[in-house]
Amino acid sequence: MNTLVEQERKLMELLTRRVHETFANARAAGVPAEVFDDVESIARAMAAALPTSHIYDQLVGPFYDTGGLTRWWGVSRQAVNKAVAADSVIACRLADGQWVYPTWQFMDTGTVHPHLIALWRTLRAGADPWTCAVWLRSPQHELGDRSASDWIAEGYPLDPALALARADAQRWAA
């Protein structure tokens, strides 16, 4: 397992390489330097994409908070709230009212895997968000001791996980 120091080093190496590539491409395209004038805002936006730490990290996390997600998606808080209300993003509310969004649900593009949303919506019919998020991250014997989220991320078919989710959601709702 990697330590935080090792992860930071890897991240800094990747960021440095990608920032150099971005600036090289900008120079080649004749982009004016003024585009990059507000380096503080650029750095804040990049840092906002980093997961935050919460007490639930061991069970379901790490998480993005709403501010981080709005910056990553380039949308307003209202747009994120609309996605939460539509159950098109996996979101859990902390005791202080703050919403958090597990990082494992997002693909590299920032979109949520549609199979995870299908599982989420099925589970939400029978339980609260935290129960559903924990279920998605808990190993399932029927999925080869993988969690449903890992099962989906590894490219396995939705149907076996969906059958388990339906059965548990029905049991919870009874």
Side-chain angles (χ1 to χ4, degrees):
M1 179 168 274
N2 292 324
T3 66
L4 283 175
V5 170
E6 292 168 324
Q7 292 297 78
E8 181 182 12
R9 182 189 53 75
K10 288 178 189 177
L11 178 63
M12 292 306 295
E13 287 173 4
L14 285 169
L15 279 174
T16 299
R17 187 173 31 226
R18 290 192 179 169
V19 168
H20 284 305
E21 290 170 5
T22 298
F23 276 84
N25 291 338
R27 281 190 296 279
V31 173
E34 295 79 34
V35 169
F36 299 97
D37 273 354
D38 193 358
V39 293
E40 182 64 34
S41 290
I42 294 169
R44 267 196 312 276
M46 292 171 70
L50 296 172
T52 58
S53 179
H54 297 281
I55 192 167
Y56 296 106
D57 281 355
Q58 293 297 318
L59 294 172
V60 183
F63 302 98
Y64 295 114
D65 62 13
T66 301
L69 196 55
T70 60
R71 285 186 287 278
W72 185 26
W73 282 357
V75 300
S76 67
R77 286 183 175 276
Q78 292 80 6
V80 172
N81 292 341
K82 189 175 179 181
V84 170
D87 277 336
S88 59
V89 63
I90 297 169
C92 298
R93 187 170 254 168
L94 298 173
D96 66 3
Q98 179 181 347
W99 287 96
V100 291
Y101 313 89
T103 61
W104 45 262
Q105 70 183 299
F106 299 105
M107 298 186 290
D108 290 342
T109 59
T111 58
V112 181
H113 196 293
H115 291 341
L116 287 177
I117 292 304
L119 291 170
W120 178 250
R121 289 177 176 163
T122 298
L123 293 165
R124 287 288 292 126
D128 66 272
W130 283 110
T131 300
C132 298
V134 169
W135 187 95
L136 285 166
R137 295 300 288 167
S138 297
Q140 304 287 332
H141 175 72
E142 298 85 352
L143 302 178
D145 291 326
R146 290 175 180 82
S147 69
S149 62
D150 288 342
W151 178 265
I152 295 302
E154 292 171 19
Y156 288 99
L158 172 63
D159 290 340
L162 192 55
L164 293 172
R166 282 185 185 129
D168 282 342
Q170 287 172 354
R171 185 174 49 80
W172 296 335

